Every structure is written in C-alpha cells, then in structure tokens.
Amino acid sequence: MSPEERRDRHLLVVDDDDRIRELLKQFLSRAGFRVSAAADAAHADRLIGVMDFDLLVLDVMMPGEDGFAFTRRVRAKGGEVGRMPILMLTARDTTGDRIEGLTHGADDYLAKPFEPQELLLRIESILRRAAPKPMGPQEIVMGDCAFMPDRGELTRAGAPVRLTEAEVALLRRLARALHEPVDRLELARDTADATGRAVDVQVTRLRRKIEPDPKNPRYLQTVRGVGYRLAPD
C-alpha cells in the first residue's frame, strides 16, 4: 500500500496487555496508519460507537468478553460495522483455535509471537481485499463554493481557494459522512493535538473560506457534545 493509502486507513488495536498494545500502536503508526487502541471489548465497543475503523486487530485472550465472543457480536451488528475486517492475535496456535477464530468471522489469525513485518503484510492484504471506502460525491456544493474530495480542491465562484493539507484531510473525512456528525476526537487523530483544539482552529479557518457568514455557519456545522458535520446544499 502507498503511504497515502495507509494514512486514510484507521485501525483499532484491542489487547489487554498494556505493553503489547502500546508497541502495536507505535509500530502501526510509524508504518503510516491512523491507530486507536482499547484495553478490552467494552472499551472497543465505545470507540466503535463513535468512530469509523477500517480494520480491527483483536487479541483473543482478554478478561471479560474474549476475542471470539466479541467477533461474533461485531458480526451480528450488520451494516458497515458488521463487515469490518478483523485480524485475530493470540498465543493459542492450535489448528482448532485457528478454525474457531475463522468460524466466528475473523478474516485472518496470527499467532504470538510474530514478526511485526508479517503483521503489517497481513493487514495490508486484508485491506486490499476489502472494498474501498467511498469518498462521497465527486463534487460537494456549498453555496458558491464547491469541494472535490478526490482532488482535494476547493473553489469559490469558480476561483481556486488555497487549502492546507490538514484542511483537505478534514473536509475529506467530513465528506465521507455528509449530514452526519463526526466525533471531534476522531477528527483530532489526524492532528498533533489529541484534545481537538487543532480541529477547532481548522474549522474556524475553513468557515472563513466556505461560509457566507462564518459566525453563523450553514455548511460546516457544530454538533454540540459530539463534533462537526458537513451539510452541503
């Protein structure tokens, strides 16, 4: 996968071992992916409820709900969540365990200990097999402004408007969920500030470029208690 393709993919790592979880997060982040992490199934559930993920890297042996049970429950949700690819990680490496994991809906099964490069190759293989995420419409019209997600270009009354790389990434993410709120902290994961303050600054700047009245935004809306949404004409 290209660096650009990796940057557009969001992975969720679920492992109750703090050291392994942090090592996986660091390795996959250095490889170019966006990575979130959870310590158990309950935490993963909460993250899946507010963020979109392209692949789940899931430990099998966890306290409480184990990886097999969690996989069954994810598949039972249906929709985009139910189709999310799952790569299981486990110290249990018998044929029966592998068959059980695949039977419950895992896309692949990797035994610990493993080579990080093998994990990376397996993740990329799964993502290539998965259907690509739609980028949304080819052109998003907001009054006299138009944004082309595939090209990352914004025009106003036909004239090009300069966007930073961060502003393009923000608009593209919102464009994948038109009229739907996107969690502010999810948007923040593309920035160096996980608190969301950098996202707020980007939104303010974008409103000056898009909105007829930036103080009363019509297109780039705030969803109180959640985040932001893009509501084109």
Side-chain angles (χ1 to χ4, degrees):
M1 297 179 70
S2 69
E4 292 76 16
E5 289 174 316
R6 288 181 183 178
R7 281 197 297 268
D8 196 44
R9 301 293 186 160
H10 192 182
L11 313 182
L12 175 59
V13 173
V14 187
D15 197 306
D16 65 297
D17 187 308
D18 296 341
R19 185 183 65 86
I20 293 176
R21 186 174 66 251
E22 187 58 30
L23 287 173
L24 287 173
K25 184 176 180 180
Q26 291 179 5
F27 171 71
L28 294 171
S29 295
R30 286 197 300 268
F33 292 105
R34 298 168 54 212
V35 186
S36 297
D40 54 31
H43 186 193
D45 244 349
R46 293 193 295 273
L47 293 178
I48 290 171
V50 297
M51 290 187 276
D52 293 328
F53 295 101
D54 296 283
L55 183 140
L56 178 62
V57 180
L58 177 65
D59 184 39
V60 170
M61 302 301 292
M62 296 187 295
E65 187 176 26
D66 67 20
F68 294 141
F70 185 60
T71 297
R72 288 197 304 270
R73 195 157 56 77
V74 168
R75 292 292 179 242
K77 291 177 183 290
E80 289 294 327
V81 172
R83 292 191 293 271
M84 178 173 53
I86 297 175
L87 170 60
M88 282 188 170
L89 301 178
T90 183
R92 293 163 50 175
D93 190 28
T94 67
T95 300
D97 290 328
R98 290 195 298 271
I99 291 174
E100 184 176 2
L102 296 172
T103 299
H104 290 316
D107 295 84
D108 204 349
Y109 192 102
L110 184 59
K112 299 176 182 178
F114 53 83
E115 288 294 329
Q117 191 62 29
E118 181 181 4
L119 171 65
L120 181 60
L121 291 173
R122 287 183 182 238
I123 287 173
E124 291 189 332
S125 176
I126 293 171
L127 291 174
R128 278 193 294 268
R129 295 197 302 266
K133 278 193 168 183
M135 282 301 298
Q138 292 184 342
E139 182 179 75
I140 298 171
V141 177
M142 299 164 284
D144 60 356
C145 290
F147 177 62
M148 283 66 72
D150 57 336
R151 290 152 56 185
E153 296 177 357
L154 176 71
T155 59
R156 187 163 196 164
V161 177
R162 183 182 177 278
L163 295 175
T164 66
E165 183 177 338
E167 290 168 348
V168 171
L170 177 59
L171 279 176
R172 279 176 167 164
R173 177 62 191 89
L174 293 170
R176 290 204 296 266
L178 289 181
H179 301 285
E180 297 293 330
V182 181
D183 187 86
R184 178 171 171 267
L185 294 183
E186 177 183 353
L187 296 172
R189 294 183 185 278
D190 284 330
T191 75
D193 184 357
T195 67
R197 286 190 293 268
V199 171
D200 298 335
V201 171
Q202 292 166 11
V203 167
T204 298
R205 291 174 176 169
L206 277 171
R207 283 172 172 165
R208 293 177 188 146
K209 299 176 180 181
I210 293 172
E211 300 286 352
D213 181 1
K215 292 185 179 180
N216 297 285
R218 173 181 175 182
Y219 303 111
L220 186 42
Q221 301 173 353
T222 299
V223 182
R224 191 176 299 277
V226 180
Y228 298 101
R229 71 174 155 222
L230 198 61
D233 292 328

